[in-house]
mmCIF file of all heavy atoms in Angstrom:
data_model
loop_
_atom_site.group_PDB
_atom_site.id
_atom_site.type_symbol
_atom_site.label_atom_id
_atom_site.label_comp_id
_atom_site.label_asym_id
_atom_site.label_seq_id
_atom_site.Cartn_x
_atom_site.Cartn_y
_atom_site.Cartn_z
ATOM 1 N N ILE A 289 168.541 133.346 55.461
ATOM 2 C CA ILE A 289 167.797 134.606 55.589
ATOM 3 C C ILE A 289 167.484 135.069 54.175
ATOM 4 O O ILE A 289 168.395 135.264 53.366
ATOM 5 C CB ILE A 289 168.624 135.654 56.367
ATOM 6 C CG1 ILE A 289 168.948 135.110 57.764
ATOM 7 C CG2 ILE A 289 167.869 136.983 56.455
ATOM 8 C CD1 ILE A 289 169.825 136.018 58.609
ATOM 9 N N ILE A 290 166.191 135.198 53.881
ATOM 10 C CA ILE A 290 165.800 135.370 52.473
ATOM 11 C C ILE A 290 164.934 136.614 52.267
ATOM 12 O O ILE A 290 164.322 137.123 53.207
ATOM 13 C CB ILE A 290 165.065 134.113 51.945
ATOM 14 C CG1 ILE A 290 163.822 133.796 52.783
ATOM 15 C CG2 ILE A 290 166.020 132.923 51.932
ATOM 16 C CD1 ILE A 290 162.914 132.755 52.143
ATOM 17 N N PRO A 291 164.869 137.085 51.026
ATOM 18 C CA PRO A 291 164.137 138.315 50.712
ATOM 19 C C PRO A 291 162.692 138.049 50.297
ATOM 20 O O PRO A 291 162.234 136.910 50.289
ATOM 21 C CB PRO A 291 164.940 138.873 49.545
ATOM 22 C CG PRO A 291 165.371 137.662 48.793
ATOM 23 C CD PRO A 291 165.602 136.589 49.835
ATOM 24 N N TRP A 292 162.012 139.112 49.874
ATOM 25 C CA TRP A 292 160.576 139.060 49.613
ATOM 26 C C TRP A 292 160.227 138.968 48.138
ATOM 27 O O TRP A 292 159.056 138.933 47.787
ATOM 28 C CB TRP A 292 159.900 140.294 50.218
ATOM 29 C CG TRP A 292 160.685 141.576 50.056
ATOM 30 C CD1 TRP A 292 161.411 142.217 51.025
ATOM 31 C CD2 TRP A 292 160.845 142.371 48.869
ATOM 32 N NE1 TRP A 292 162.005 143.347 50.517
ATOM 33 C CE2 TRP A 292 161.672 143.459 49.191
ATOM 34 C CE3 TRP A 292 160.370 142.262 47.558
ATOM 35 C CZ2 TRP A 292 162.047 144.438 48.269
ATOM 36 C CZ3 TRP A 292 160.739 143.230 46.630
ATOM 37 C CH2 TRP A 292 161.565 144.304 46.995
ATOM 38 N N ASN A 293 161.216 138.946 47.248
ATOM 39 C CA ASN A 293 160.859 139.022 45.822
ATOM 40 C C ASN A 293 160.425 137.674 45.227
ATOM 41 O O ASN A 293 159.592 137.644 44.331
ATOM 42 C CB ASN A 293 161.966 139.683 44.999
ATOM 43 C CG ASN A 293 163.314 139.051 45.207
ATOM 44 O OD1 ASN A 293 163.523 138.282 46.145
ATOM 45 N ND2 ASN A 293 164.256 139.371 44.346
ATOM 46 N N LYS A 316 164.685 132.166 58.055
ATOM 47 C CA LYS A 316 164.038 133.429 58.437
ATOM 48 C C LYS A 316 163.551 134.089 57.158
ATOM 49 O O LYS A 316 164.326 134.693 56.415
ATOM 50 C CB LYS A 316 165.065 134.338 59.144
ATOM 51 C CG LYS A 316 164.498 135.267 60.205
ATOM 52 C CD LYS A 316 163.422 136.216 59.737
ATOM 53 C CE LYS A 316 163.996 137.478 59.111
ATOM 54 N NZ LYS A 316 162.931 138.317 58.503
ATOM 55 N N PRO A 317 162.234 133.969 56.856
ATOM 56 C CA PRO A 317 161.718 134.628 55.655
ATOM 57 C C PRO A 317 161.619 136.137 55.861
ATOM 58 O O PRO A 317 161.717 136.626 56.999
ATOM 59 C CB PRO A 317 160.331 134.007 55.484
ATOM 60 C CG PRO A 317 159.946 133.458 56.818
ATOM 61 C CD PRO A 317 161.206 133.224 57.605
ATOM 62 N N ALA A 318 161.408 136.870 54.770
ATOM 63 C CA ALA A 318 161.259 138.330 54.865
ATOM 64 C C ALA A 318 159.932 138.663 55.546
ATOM 65 O O ALA A 318 158.930 137.981 55.337
ATOM 66 C CB ALA A 318 161.315 138.946 53.476
ATOM 67 N N GLU A 319 159.928 139.739 56.330
ATOM 68 C CA GLU A 319 158.710 140.095 57.072
ATOM 69 C C GLU A 319 157.536 140.412 56.145
ATOM 70 O O GLU A 319 156.389 140.217 56.511
ATOM 71 C CB GLU A 319 158.956 141.234 58.067
ATOM 72 C CG GLU A 319 159.790 142.400 57.585
ATOM 73 C CD GLU A 319 161.289 142.202 57.824
ATOM 74 O OE1 GLU A 319 161.853 141.208 57.307
ATOM 75 O OE2 GLU A 319 161.897 143.047 58.495
ATOM 76 N N GLY A 347 159.576 137.049 61.483
ATOM 77 C CA GLY A 347 159.845 138.198 62.358
ATOM 78 C C GLY A 347 160.649 139.263 61.646
ATOM 79 O O GLY A 347 160.971 139.137 60.459
ATOM 80 N N LEU A 348 160.975 140.298 62.388
ATOM 81 C CA LEU A 348 161.676 141.448 61.823
ATOM 82 C C LEU A 348 163.146 141.129 61.568
ATOM 83 O O LEU A 348 163.783 140.409 62.352
ATOM 84 C CB LEU A 348 161.582 142.637 62.784
ATOM 85 C CG LEU A 348 160.154 143.131 63.062
ATOM 86 C CD1 LEU A 348 160.166 144.203 64.150
ATOM 87 C CD2 LEU A 348 159.531 143.670 61.767
ATOM 88 N N GLY A 349 163.671 141.707 60.499
ATOM 89 C CA GLY A 349 165.076 141.489 60.175
ATOM 90 C C GLY A 349 165.993 141.940 61.292
ATOM 91 O O GLY A 349 166.921 141.219 61.687
ATOM 92 N N ALA A 350 165.737 143.128 61.808
ATOM 93 C CA ALA A 350 166.640 143.698 62.816
ATOM 94 C C ALA A 350 166.568 142.933 64.138
ATOM 95 O O ALA A 350 167.484 143.040 64.964
ATOM 96 C CB ALA A 350 166.292 145.166 63.040
ATOM 97 N N GLY A 353 166.184 138.312 62.475
ATOM 98 C CA GLY A 353 167.267 138.090 61.514
ATOM 99 C C GLY A 353 168.627 138.306 62.157
ATOM 100 O O GLY A 353 169.538 137.479 62.037
ATOM 101 N N GLN A 354 168.743 139.418 62.859
ATOM 102 C CA GLN A 354 170.033 139.738 63.487
ATOM 103 C C GLN A 354 170.386 138.689 64.553
ATOM 104 O O GLN A 354 171.541 138.260 64.648
ATOM 105 C CB GLN A 354 169.976 141.148 64.108
ATOM 106 C CG GLN A 354 171.319 141.660 64.614
ATOM 107 C CD GLN A 354 172.296 142.002 63.488
ATOM 108 O OE1 GLN A 354 171.946 142.691 62.537
ATOM 109 N NE2 GLN A 354 173.513 141.501 63.574
ATOM 110 N N ALA A 357 171.718 135.677 62.769
ATOM 111 C CA ALA A 357 173.073 135.896 62.241
ATOM 112 C C ALA A 357 174.105 135.883 63.369
ATOM 113 O O ALA A 357 175.234 135.421 63.195
ATOM 114 C CB ALA A 357 173.121 137.225 61.486
ATOM 115 N N PHE A 367 172.567 134.151 52.847
ATOM 116 C CA PHE A 367 171.734 135.360 52.806
ATOM 117 C C PHE A 367 171.488 135.810 51.378
ATOM 118 O O PHE A 367 172.401 135.814 50.552
ATOM 119 C CB PHE A 367 172.438 136.488 53.580
ATOM 120 C CG PHE A 367 171.734 137.819 53.481
ATOM 121 C CD1 PHE A 367 170.602 138.079 54.242
ATOM 122 C CD2 PHE A 367 172.193 138.803 52.615
ATOM 123 C CE1 PHE A 367 169.939 139.304 54.133
ATOM 124 C CE2 PHE A 367 171.543 140.029 52.501
ATOM 125 C CZ PHE A 367 170.416 140.276 53.269
ATOM 126 N N THR A 368 170.260 136.242 51.114
ATOM 127 C CA THR A 368 169.952 136.986 49.886
ATOM 128 C C THR A 368 169.197 138.240 50.288
ATOM 129 O O THR A 368 168.245 138.168 51.077
ATOM 130 C CB THR A 368 169.086 136.153 48.919
ATOM 131 O OG1 THR A 368 169.808 134.969 48.562
ATOM 132 C CG2 THR A 368 168.767 136.930 47.649
ATOM 133 N N GLY A 369 169.612 139.385 49.766
ATOM 134 C CA GLY A 369 168.938 140.636 50.104
ATOM 135 C C GLY A 369 169.809 141.822 49.757
ATOM 136 O O GLY A 369 170.620 141.760 48.826
ATOM 137 N N SER A 370 169.661 142.894 50.531
ATOM 138 C CA SER A 370 170.369 144.139 50.217
ATOM 139 C C SER A 370 171.843 144.066 50.617
ATOM 140 O O SER A 370 172.228 143.313 51.514
ATOM 141 C CB SER A 370 169.689 145.295 50.950
ATOM 142 O OG SER A 370 169.821 145.112 52.345
ATOM 143 N N VAL A 373 172.440 145.019 54.425
ATOM 144 C CA VAL A 373 172.237 143.923 55.377
ATOM 145 C C VAL A 373 173.275 142.822 55.141
ATOM 146 O O VAL A 373 173.801 142.244 56.092
ATOM 147 C CB VAL A 373 170.793 143.386 55.322
ATOM 148 C CG1 VAL A 373 170.624 142.177 56.224
ATOM 149 C CG2 VAL A 373 169.815 144.486 55.737
ATOM 150 N N ARG A 376 176.191 143.476 57.106
ATOM 151 C CA ARG A 376 175.968 143.157 58.539
ATOM 152 C C ARG A 376 176.070 141.653 58.787
ATOM 153 O O ARG A 376 176.587 141.208 59.819
ATOM 154 C CB ARG A 376 174.583 143.600 58.983
ATOM 155 C CG ARG A 376 174.558 145.061 59.276
ATOM 156 C CD ARG A 376 173.313 145.444 60.097
ATOM 157 N NE ARG A 376 173.109 146.846 59.839
ATOM 158 C CZ ARG A 376 172.003 147.383 59.346
ATOM 159 N NH1 ARG A 376 170.939 146.647 59.145
ATOM 160 N NH2 ARG A 376 171.944 148.652 59.095
ATOM 161 N N ILE A 377 175.550 140.887 57.856
ATOM 162 C CA ILE A 377 175.602 139.424 57.988
ATOM 163 C C ILE A 377 177.062 138.978 57.986
ATOM 164 O O ILE A 377 177.487 138.138 58.790
ATOM 165 C CB ILE A 377 174.850 138.756 56.811
ATOM 166 C CG1 ILE A 377 173.396 139.187 56.773
ATOM 167 C CG2 ILE A 377 175.012 137.240 56.824
ATOM 168 C CD1 ILE A 377 172.466 138.556 57.742
ATOM 169 N N GLU A 391 174.080 136.820 48.389
ATOM 170 C CA GLU A 391 173.595 137.169 47.053
ATOM 171 C C GLU A 391 172.909 138.517 47.185
ATOM 172 O O GLU A 391 171.884 138.629 47.842
ATOM 173 C CB GLU A 391 172.634 136.076 46.567
ATOM 174 C CG GLU A 391 172.585 135.996 45.062
ATOM 175 C CD GLU A 391 171.562 136.925 44.473
ATOM 176 O OE1 GLU A 391 171.795 138.159 44.502
ATOM 177 O OE2 GLU A 391 170.546 136.432 44.001
ATOM 178 N N LEU A 392 173.530 139.574 46.611
ATOM 179 C CA LEU A 392 173.178 140.936 46.990
ATOM 180 C C LEU A 392 172.688 141.832 45.858
ATOM 181 O O LEU A 392 172.642 143.044 45.997
ATOM 182 C CB LEU A 392 174.394 141.596 47.656
ATOM 183 C CG LEU A 392 174.987 140.784 48.819
ATOM 184 C CD1 LEU A 392 176.245 141.462 49.349
ATOM 185 C CD2 LEU A 392 173.976 140.588 49.933
ATOM 186 N N GLY A 393 172.304 141.238 44.760
ATOM 187 C CA GLY A 393 171.707 142.084 43.722
ATOM 188 C C GLY A 393 172.712 142.932 42.970
ATOM 189 O O GLY A 393 173.916 142.693 43.036
ATOM 190 N N CYS A 425 166.861 140.563 41.637
ATOM 191 C CA CYS A 425 168.267 140.907 41.901
ATOM 192 C C CYS A 425 169.073 141.011 40.618
ATOM 193 O O CYS A 425 169.974 141.822 40.513
ATOM 194 C CB CYS A 425 168.882 139.874 42.835
ATOM 195 S SG CYS A 425 168.609 138.200 42.272
ATOM 196 N N GLN A 472 158.986 149.791 50.017
ATOM 197 C CA GLN A 472 159.614 149.586 48.714
ATOM 198 C C GLN A 472 159.004 150.537 47.681
ATOM 199 O O GLN A 472 159.710 151.097 46.852
ATOM 200 C CB GLN A 472 159.456 148.123 48.282
ATOM 201 C CG GLN A 472 160.251 147.754 47.044
ATOM 202 C CD GLN A 472 161.751 147.940 47.207
ATOM 203 O OE1 GLN A 472 162.267 147.983 48.329
ATOM 204 N NE2 GLN A 472 162.463 148.071 46.110
ATOM 205 N N LYS A 475 160.418 153.910 48.178
ATOM 206 C CA LYS A 475 161.822 153.924 47.760
ATOM 207 C C LYS A 475 161.925 154.082 46.239
ATOM 208 O O LYS A 475 162.734 154.863 45.733
ATOM 209 C CB LYS A 475 162.488 152.607 48.210
ATOM 210 C CG LYS A 475 163.960 152.554 47.922
ATOM 211 C CD LYS A 475 164.566 151.186 48.191
ATOM 212 C CE LYS A 475 165.918 151.117 47.493
ATOM 213 N NZ LYS A 475 166.295 149.865 46.932
ATOM 214 N N GLU A 524 170.847 150.206 42.691
ATOM 215 C CA GLU A 524 169.706 149.329 42.461
ATOM 216 C C GLU A 524 168.417 150.059 42.854
ATOM 217 O O GLU A 524 168.326 150.621 43.941
ATOM 218 C CB GLU A 524 169.888 148.088 43.343
ATOM 219 C CG GLU A 524 168.891 147.001 43.107
ATOM 220 C CD GLU A 524 169.311 145.702 43.807
ATOM 221 O OE1 GLU A 524 169.580 145.733 45.025
ATOM 222 O OE2 GLU A 524 169.361 144.660 43.123
ATOM 223 N N ILE A 525 167.426 150.064 41.954
ATOM 224 C CA ILE A 525 166.128 150.676 42.283
ATOM 225 C C ILE A 525 165.155 149.595 42.734
ATOM 226 O O ILE A 525 164.372 149.786 43.639
ATOM 227 C CB ILE A 525 165.576 151.483 41.078
ATOM 228 C CG1 ILE A 525 166.490 152.694 40.802
ATOM 229 C CG2 ILE A 525 164.137 151.931 41.346
ATOM 230 C CD1 ILE A 525 166.088 153.518 39.589
ATOM 231 N N PHE A 526 165.246 148.418 42.135
ATOM 232 C CA PHE A 526 164.428 147.272 42.541
ATOM 233 C C PHE A 526 162.950 147.553 42.345
ATOM 234 O O PHE A 526 162.117 147.386 43.235
ATOM 235 C CB PHE A 526 164.727 146.878 43.995
ATOM 236 C CG PHE A 526 164.911 145.380 44.176
ATOM 237 C CD1 PHE A 526 166.008 144.744 43.638
ATOM 238 C CD2 PHE A 526 163.988 144.622 44.882
ATOM 239 C CE1 PHE A 526 166.179 143.366 43.787
ATOM 240 C CE2 PHE A 526 164.153 143.249 45.043
ATOM 241 C CZ PHE A 526 165.261 142.625 44.494
HETATM 242 P P1 NAI B 152 166.773 143.455 53.334
HETATM 243 O O1 NAI B 152 168.149 143.161 52.909
HETATM 244 O O2 NAI B 152 166.541 144.356 54.484
HETATM 245 O O3 NAI B 152 165.986 142.100 53.676
HETATM 246 C C1 NAI B 152 166.395 140.804 53.299
HETATM 247 C C2 NAI B 152 166.242 139.839 54.477
HETATM 248 O O4 NAI B 152 167.162 140.219 55.498
HETATM 249 C C3 NAI B 152 164.864 139.844 55.143
HETATM 250 O O5 NAI B 152 164.538 138.537 55.569
HETATM 251 C C4 NAI B 152 165.075 140.727 56.349
HETATM 252 O O6 NAI B 152 164.188 140.435 57.405
HETATM 253 C C5 NAI B 152 166.490 140.354 56.745
HETATM 254 N N1 NAI B 152 167.197 141.351 57.556
HETATM 255 C C6 NAI B 152 167.031 142.690 57.566
HETATM 256 N N2 NAI B 152 167.869 143.260 58.456
HETATM 257 C C7 NAI B 152 168.580 142.253 59.005
HETATM 258 C C8 NAI B 152 169.617 142.194 59.986
HETATM 259 N N3 NAI B 152 170.075 143.294 60.579
HETATM 260 N N4 NAI B 152 170.137 141.001 60.299
HETATM 261 C C9 NAI B 152 169.706 139.873 59.707
HETATM 262 N N5 NAI B 152 168.708 139.865 58.794
HETATM 263 C C10 NAI B 152 168.164 141.040 58.443
HETATM 264 O O7 NAI B 152 165.983 143.981 52.074
HETATM 265 P P2 NAI B 152 164.786 145.071 52.076
HETATM 266 O O8 NAI B 152 165.033 146.137 53.055
HETATM 267 O O9 NAI B 152 163.525 144.363 52.218
HETATM 268 O O10 NAI B 152 164.944 145.666 50.616
HETATM 269 C C11 NAI B 152 165.788 146.793 50.433
HETATM 270 C C12 NAI B 152 166.533 146.697 49.153
HETATM 271 O O11 NAI B 152 167.322 145.525 49.140
HETATM 272 C C13 NAI B 152 165.676 146.581 47.916
HETATM 273 O O12 NAI B 152 165.198 147.803 47.496
HETATM 274 C C14 NAI B 152 166.660 145.962 46.965
HETATM 275 O O13 NAI B 152 167.463 146.969 46.396
HETATM 276 C C15 NAI B 152 167.491 145.062 47.829
HETATM 277 N N6 NAI B 152 167.030 143.667 47.763
HETATM 278 C C16 NAI B 152 167.774 142.773 47.065
HETATM 279 C C17 NAI B 152 167.327 141.487 46.922
HETATM 280 C C18 NAI B 152 168.095 140.485 46.155
HETATM 281 O O14 NAI B 152 167.508 139.532 45.666
HETATM 282 N N7 NAI B 152 169.389 140.592 46.054
HETATM 283 C C19 NAI B 152 166.054 141.045 47.480
HETATM 284 C C20 NAI B 152 165.378 142.032 48.262
HETATM 285 C C21 NAI B 152 165.862 143.306 48.360
#
Side-chain angles (χ1 to χ4, degrees):
I289 301 177
I290 58 168
W292 40 256
N293 53 346
K316 211 302 276 173
E319 43 271 59
L348 298 173
Q354 188 71 48
F367 174 78
T368 300
S370 64
V373 175
R376 280 196 203 123
I377 300 282
E391 206 272 71
L392 307 176
C425 51
Q472 189 61 21
K475 184 188 163 216
E524 187 168 53
I525 294 177
F526 226 68

